[in-house]
Amino acid sequence: MITREFDYTADEFDPEQPMQMATLEWSTVDNDGYYHRHSLRMEHHSGDGFKAAKREALAIMGRDYPNATLTVSDSYRKGRFYAAFLIDAADIE
């Protein structure tokens, strides 16, 4: 099983705007053992940031491990501005 931690950080919340911005970050290790940090700026509807981040993270993991069973679990959350969650990829062929 492979597990990745994803960090979601929302920009300053503006209730007057229907769309908000956030950053999704995660790390990978390549076949040569080199560590890579990834960052994705994402736009989402107000009040939907954490769900949108999980959907995007599942899409990323699905591309990297297309035959795996993916499971999401929350690991930490601080209000609507920061959250960390884990995605496990099991049964990798």
Side-chain angles (χ1 to χ4, degrees):
M1 177 169 20
I2 293 173
T3 300
R4 281 192 195 153
E5 181 176 39
F6 289 83
D7 296 313
Y8 163 83
T9 307
D11 290 0
E12 184 174 336
F13 180 72
D14 182 354
E16 300 298 318
Q17 298 298 320
M19 298 300 284
Q20 305 293 325
M21 294 298 295
T23 303
L24 183 64
E25 297 179 302
W26 69 99
S27 299
T28 59
V29 177
D30 65 21
N31 291 335
D32 296 322
Y34 290 102
Y35 176 86
H36 301 276
R37 188 78 178 148
H38 306 274
S39 179
L40 173 70
R41 290 288 291 159
M42 53 182 281
E43 186 176 66
H44 59 84
H45 292 284
S46 217
D48 188 33
F50 193 44
K51 290 178 190 173
K54 285 182 178 180
R55 284 191 302 269
E56 188 63 40
L58 283 167
I60 291 165
M61 289 289 284
R63 285 190 297 271
D64 290 349
Y65 306 103
N67 298 320
T69 301
L70 304 175
T71 306
V72 179
S73 57
D74 295 345
S75 60
Y76 179 78
R77 188 165 183 171
K78 184 175 183 180
R80 64 174 131 193
F81 296 105
Y82 178 79
F85 56 95
L86 305 172
I87 298 183
D88 296 323
D91 300 326
I92 300 169
E93 296 178 7

